Each structure stands twice: as structure tokens, then as C-alpha cells.
Amino acid sequence: MKQNTSLNLECRGLLRRSEVLKLTGLSKSTLYRLESSNDFPSAIQVSARCVAYRLSEIYKWLEGRN
């Protein structure tokens, strides 16, 4: 039986890019710009076609904006 990839990542404290965009309210281009200028946590390569972000780092980034 195939497991849901997003659910599996969430159990590990990781979020897919689409989930990060929803959580932060950022656009995709803004996310890429912030990430390339090291003003946003870097994505980690989960597989050949999948990147994810550590949820703890996203929360720290959000707290730092307030």
C-alpha cells in the first residue's frame, strides 16, 4: 500500500513548498528570493523530485518577523 508522502513528511516535521506558502502567505517568487538571499530557511532535498522545509525553522522565521 502506498503511503501519502505529505503525511509521511509531516510526521518527520517537514513541510512541502506548497504548505510553506500557505503557512507564511508568501508567493512562490518571494519565497525563492528570500531563500536565495539567505533570509529564509533553506529547503532540504528529500528525494530526486521533492524538497521540504523543517517546520521548526519555519516557525522560528515567522516568530522573527513579528
Side-chain angles (χ1 to χ4, degrees):
M1 180 171 15
K2 186 176 180 181
Q3 289 184 343
N4 182 333
T5 305
S6 291
L7 181 59
N8 195 19
L9 290 174
E10 288 176 20
C11 292
R12 294 186 170 136
L14 300 172
L15 293 177
R16 299 285 299 264
R17 182 171 282 128
S18 61
E19 296 164 325
V20 170
L21 295 175
K22 289 177 191 174
L23 181 64
T24 61
L26 298 173
S27 68
K28 194 183 296 186
S29 59
T30 300
L31 177 67
Y32 288 137
R33 182 176 45 78
L34 289 172
E35 195 173 350
S36 69
S37 65
N38 294 322
D39 292 327
F40 194 83
S42 296
I44 56 171
Q45 194 76 38
V46 177
S47 68
R49 296 180 56 192
C50 179
V51 297
Y53 296 82
R54 287 181 179 87
L55 182 58
S56 60
E57 292 179 2
I58 302 302
Y59 281 143
K60 285 180 189 176
W61 182 83
L62 287 168
E63 288 174 0
R65 292 190 73 187
N66 294 331

